Structure formats: C-alpha cells, structure tokens
Amino acid sequence: MGRGLLKLVVGVLWLGMVVGAEYVKYKDPNQPVAARIKDLMSKMTLAEKIGQMVQIDRTVATEQILRDYSIGSVLSGGGSAPLPQASAEDWVNMINAYQNGSLASRLGIPMIYGIDAVHGHNNVYNATIFPHNVGLGATRDPALVKKIGAATALEVRATGIPYVFAPCIAVCRDPRWGRCYESYSEDHKIVEEMTDIIFGLQGDIPSGSRKGVPYVGGKDKVAACAKHFVGDGGTTRGINENNTVIDVHGLLSMYMPAYSYSVIKGVSTIMVSYSSWNGEKMHANHELITGFLKNTLKFKGFVISDWQGIDRITSPPHLNYTYSVQAAIQAGIDMVMVPFNHTEFVDDLTYLVNSKVIPMDRIDDAVERILLVKFTMGLFENPFADFSLVHELGSQAHRDLAREAVRKSLVLLKNGKGGTTPLLPLSKKASKILVAGTHADNLGYQCGGWTINWQGFSGNNYTRGTTILGAINSTVDPSTEIVYRENPDADFVKSNNFDYAIVAVGEPPYAETAGDSTTLTMMDPGPSVITNVCGAVKCVVVIISGRPIVIEPYVSTIDALVAAWLPGTEGQGVIDALYGDYGFSGKLPRTWFKTVDQLPMNVEDSHYDPLFPLGFGLKTDSVASIVSRSTSAAALEGPCLFILIITISLSFYFTGKIPIY
C-alpha cells in the first residue's frame, strides 16, 4: 500500500474513532470541494438551504436562532459592536458564541460573520483607520492599496471576523453623492487598478486558478465583497440610491470593468446596489446579476443584497414583501441581508418554492455558491477564532502604513501667491505659529463616516489616533510657541506676531444619503476662519473632505492649499508633508469644480472648465533631498571654480582675450 493511500485510510479511521460517528464526506478536508458541496447538499432540507441564504444582524442573533434556522451569516451593521470600546478579545468571544449555535445545528454548517471594513477595521475601537478610498485614489499606487488590504485583513481577523463588505468599486461621477469618498476616482481606469486591494484582503490567487472562482488564502485573510453592483456612482444628480441613466455601452465601459477585474482576481462575493439602471431596481435585475455577472463574467462566488435591499424593490419599501423576495431571488441574489426579521423572509421564500414560483435549482445555485465560499476559505476546518492575532489590532506597523498612505494621498493645489516664494515646506523653528479651524484637533472629522459609528463621530474620545494639532506639537521645535484657536477673529490674528498659520477646515462626517449635498460647502465657520486668518498672516489651508467642495472664492487669499481628503487616524502623515519630511506626490482623483452649477462635470466632458483638473497636483521634494542636492552642488563648486580659472588663464595666454561665458 502506498504511503499516501495509507495516510488517507488512517485519517479516515481516526475520524471515525475520535468523533465516534460514521464517515461524513463533506467534513473531510481531503475531499475535493465540489464533492464536499455535493455531499452536503444531498443531506440538506429546504429549510436548511433557505437558512443558509439568510444574513441577520448581531443585535437579533442568538445561538438558538442560528441553530434552529441554520442561519448562513451574521453581520455587524455600521457601529454595531458587542459593547462600547470592545477589545479584540470581546469580539472573538462574541463571534465564537454565535458559531457555537451554528455548529450545534443538525448538519453543523458554520456561519460566516461579516462586517464593513471600508477603510481599515472601521467599526472597532483602537483599529487603524486608513484614508477613505478617494484619498487612496490620489496616491495612484495599487501596491500600497494591496498592503492596506493585507493590514486590514489582519486587523479584522484579530477580532475573529472572516468576511468584509469591501472594497467599494463605485465610479463616482458626481461629488454631490454622499458615498463619493468611498469611490477611488471618477476615472474608471483608476478604480480598476485599485481592485488590487482584493489581493491584499484575500491573498494572491494561485497560478492556474479558474476564472471567477473565489479564493481566500488562509486564516490571516478574509473573504472580500466588491460593491455596489452596478452603476451606483452614476445616479442622477448624485442622489443616493437613485436612478443611473445610461445605455448598455456606457454601463459596460464605465461601471462594469472594475467588476470584471474583481472576478478575475478571485473576489468571493459581490453586493448589489440599491440604485436602479434606467428605472429598474438592481436588486431585481436578472439580466445583469444572472445574465452578465454569473453567466458572462463566470462569477462563481455568491451575490449578496445590501441592508434591507430587497425591501426597497418596491416603493414605499416593504409594500409587497413576497413579490420583493420573488424578484430578488429570481434575479440571482444568493444571500439576503434581512437584519431584523428573518422569519418573514424564510416563510415567504419557503412558500414561493413550495408553490413552484421559484424553482428548486435556483435555491440550489444560491446555496452551492455560499458553501463554495465557506469551504474555500477553510471555515469548516477552522470555524472558531482564537486570540493569536489580537496584537495586530491597531499595531504600530499598520499605523506606519496608514501614515505613509496619508502623505501619499495629499494633493498640493497651491504653493505661493502669484510668483511669490512658496510657503511650503514650513519651518519647524518658527518663533510663533497659529493653528486654527474646525478640523485641526478633531479625530472624528479626520476619519469621516463609517468610523466607529455609521455616520462617524466628532471629537477625540471614541478611538485612538493623532490629530493634526497633535502632530504639529510633536514635529516643531520645542522652542516654537503654538497657539490653537478653532475660530479666531481677525483682530486676534493681527495682534499676534505669527510667523505663519495652519488652517484645517472641511466637511463634517457623514455616510450615504445623509451625505448627499446640493451645495458642497464647507462647514461653518470654515469660510470665516480662512478669511480672518489668511487675510492677516501667511497661511496653509488643509481641506478635510470626502470630495471636492466649494473653495474657489477663497483661493486668492490662501498662500498654500492642500486637499487631505479623509485621512483617518494618522494625522501625522499630513504634517510630514507640510514640514517637508516628505514631498507632495498626490494627484487629484476627481475634478475640482469652480461652482456646483457645473455639476456633473468629468474629464472629457464638453463643458469641462475646472478649478483644478483630474490628475492635477503640485510636486515637491523633501527637505532632506533638497539639502542633499545642495550639498552635492557645494562639493562640486570648488573644483569647478578651479577649472574655470585655468581655462580663462590659458585662453588669455594663447589669444590675449578673456572668453565670455
């Protein structure tokens, strides 16, 4: 008997003896995934299959519900945590308790826990919060984004979670949309490049892998979710969940390519958009979900709804829930996010199947896809989390990476008034400086929405990080006097002898519909702070925002202008660039408009007349590199002068003339 065969026989006998049960193929990790799925499916009842298609919120989940309904997935909605300031260990214990319920079900199918981790592990206290996607788009650096994906995966796994609802690969074509900061760019090509974050989250797919098959590379990686399929960034007037009006060619060339790239890169799941395409709700669009995504792109993972997404197929939502269930499942949605009322969904879907309205093969397709992801990521072998990665949450290595991402995301829009000496880099040895503005000392404003809470927070008490003011304090010379005033009046500024001022202003935190804006103005008293400060002293204005906002009226009064987007917890990255420890390198991922009346306005539009165009960004060198070049030049100065003297002398000797250079 060959050694490999002997090993297999011993393993099977050991399984039987230790478990004290008959051999079960779907529990055998040595079996091919397809064989395990087929075996498990043959044992499942309709109720167990439908249970796998359900995802509920942790606030209503219990071990008994997970056991009795064979629930497929649990999630944390925005801000949903086991307790305030929960530790990684708290998260692990909560999730393992839920998993106990799932494993106690008749077939012991593990549930998969999902969470929004859209710029780091953003629901979790002390996690590293990276810049939102709009800032990452400014870096033009897919390799950096891949590293951020890997760091995020580690922090998510540190809390026992194996599944994230990220990345958002929307192509935002109108900054009035409240989710625009979740989009890498208005340019679909930049968005496509940034899908490399999937490799960071899930791992590099092995060579020779079949196209469209999900891949998750071990216990330090997570299943990813490309969202929101499809066209969510193109809605009319940028209204969230609105209608995207575009022909088939436009949809396939502008909004679909990032999904094609994501499928090729092995993304495990895809989330459907609340929005409509030419009047048809995406959650009910069979042509695109089944016809294009599953059949044309050959996506083999599972399709998941958005939060109560199928309710919104009707207007008003939940008007005819049975119809919504029918339309969504027939369209090709496999797992349904029904956060608070799973029994209604289960009852309606059971009725529709028993009534032959929804065929059994549609249910089987959904469950096979869900099981494929669970088997592929090793959830059957490793259903429980442990504490082995808890040290990864908010680690210094991840904070250093986030700081790097911040400085690479900064876009320098102006540096010096009309031919005057550039203001940046700032001097660290100034005598007295002013720090002003609503966003100078507010970690919540720095991070934006989807941080700790769904809509974000204000202040410095809800997680750990470094504000812009804090970073200034740790950067300038100890002899420098730093004066901080959130909203100084003009007389105060004029009466003090400030060398320069740093003004940080922008938008308050927001998410989704709450962030939709027709005016795109900065929050008060931002405009008056700029006027009062920049009218009296040299100033650099740092804009903290999820998108371009109205700035044109103030540009002429500003000496230096920086778009910092929503940088996250590591404000030191902003100060690294302001003081010249690193140069500016970011490029605008979005067109910066002059007035909102121009919107929507994107590059190549006939009416394109921006304040700053897509791709704009002034470049600077670090102080160290400037000094290095100066030193090199000085080192050459002596030899060059000697050669010049010899040349002049020889010329005069032979010609009697002094050469003119």
Side-chain angles (χ1 to χ4, degrees), residues 325-343:
V325 173
Q326 176 186 335
I329 302 305
Q330 287 181 329
I333 294 176
D334 304 310
M335 182 176 281
V336 181
M337 207 181 281
V338 282
F340 307 125
N341 193 355
H342 63 281
T343 55

Side-chain angles (χ1 to χ4, degrees), residues 45 48 72 146 202 297 395 447 502 553 579 588:
T45 64
E48 288 165 333
K146 180 180 175 181
Q202 297 193 159
L297 295 185
S395 72
C447 293
I502 298 172
Y579 283 93
L588 282 182

Side-chain angles (χ1 to χ4, degrees), residues 32-323:
V33 168
R36 298 176 75 183
I37 293 172
K38 183 178 180 181
D39 181 59
L40 180 51
M41 289 287 292
S42 71
K43 293 175 168 60
M44 294 177 74
T45 64
L46 174 61
E48 288 165 333
K49 290 177 179 178
I50 289 175
Q52 284 299 298
M53 298 170 67
V54 173
Q55 184 181 63
I56 59 175
D57 188 76
R58 57 156 290 278
T59 56
V60 300
T62 66
E63 290 186 45
Q64 183 177 347
I65 288 172
L66 288 162
R67 182 195 69 203
D68 294 349
Y69 285 88
S70 193
I71 297 293
S73 183
V74 181
L75 85 151
S76 276
S80 181
L83 53 103
Q85 300 188 1
S87 67
E89 291 86 349
D90 292 327
W91 282 89
V92 168
N93 290 332
M94 175 190 72
I95 291 160
N96 282 346
Y98 291 142
Q99 195 67 279
N100 275 326
S102 292
L103 298 180
S105 64
R106 186 178 73 91
L107 295 171
I109 304 171
M111 66 87 190
I112 181 172
Y113 198 100
I115 197 166
D116 288 281
V118 296
H119 61 142
H121 200 6
N122 50 259
N123 265 17
V124 178
Y125 181 74
N126 270 345
T128 308
I129 305 299
F130 292 91
H132 267 298
N133 286 356
V134 64
L136 298 183
T139 70
R140 303 294 201 277
D141 192 343
L144 173 67
V145 169
K146 180 180 175 181
K147 290 178 184 176
I148 289 170
T152 300
L154 279 171
E155 297 210 10
V156 171
R157 281 287 196 171
T159 57
I161 298 173
Y163 177 29
V164 298
F165 308 126
C168 177
I169 54 173
V171 182
C172 176
R173 302 290 286 177
D174 193 327
R176 292 175 290 186
W177 186 37
R179 302 194 82 142
C180 207
Y181 63 76
E182 297 185 57
S183 168
Y184 293 108
S185 178
E186 73 186 51
D187 182 348
H188 68 90
K189 293 178 182 176
I190 294 172
V191 177
E192 290 154 27
E193 291 175 353
M194 294 302 174
T195 56
D196 273 8
I197 194 172
I198 293 167
F199 290 140
L201 292 166
Q202 297 193 159
D204 292 305
I205 57 174
S207 59
S209 292
R210 284 198 304 131
K211 177 186 173 184
V213 177
Y215 175 76
V216 181
K219 293 175 70 175
D220 61 348
K221 298 296 181 182
V222 293
C225 179
K227 65 184 188 182
H228 307 85
F229 187 85
V230 59
D232 51 342
T235 57
T236 302
R237 297 187 300 280
I239 298 171
N240 193 41
E241 305 182 22
N242 202 10
N243 189 27
T244 298
V245 179
I246 194 170
D247 61 19
V248 174
H249 173 74
L251 186 82
L252 297 184
S253 60
M254 176 67 67
Y255 301 107
M256 194 65 79
Y259 287 95
S260 179
Y261 277 83
S262 297
V263 169
I264 290 168
K265 292 173 183 179
V267 74
S268 295
T269 75
I270 289 175
M271 185 182 291
V272 181
S273 176
Y274 287 128
S275 58
S276 303
W277 176 45
N278 295 335
E280 182 178 359
K281 288 283 188 180
M282 279 305 312
H283 274 75
N285 196 310
H286 179 273
E287 176 188 359
L288 289 177
I289 297 173
T290 296
F292 197 84
L293 179 60
K294 290 183 174 180
N295 295 341
T296 301
L297 295 185
K298 308 297 183 187
F299 175 60
K300 302 300 182 188
F302 68 79
V303 177
I304 186 168
S305 82
D306 208 331
W307 178 278
Q308 296 179 326
I310 70 169
D311 300 53
R312 304 187 201 189
I313 289 173
T314 60
S315 183
H318 209 84
L319 180 67
N320 185 341
Y321 193 66
T322 304
Y323 165 74

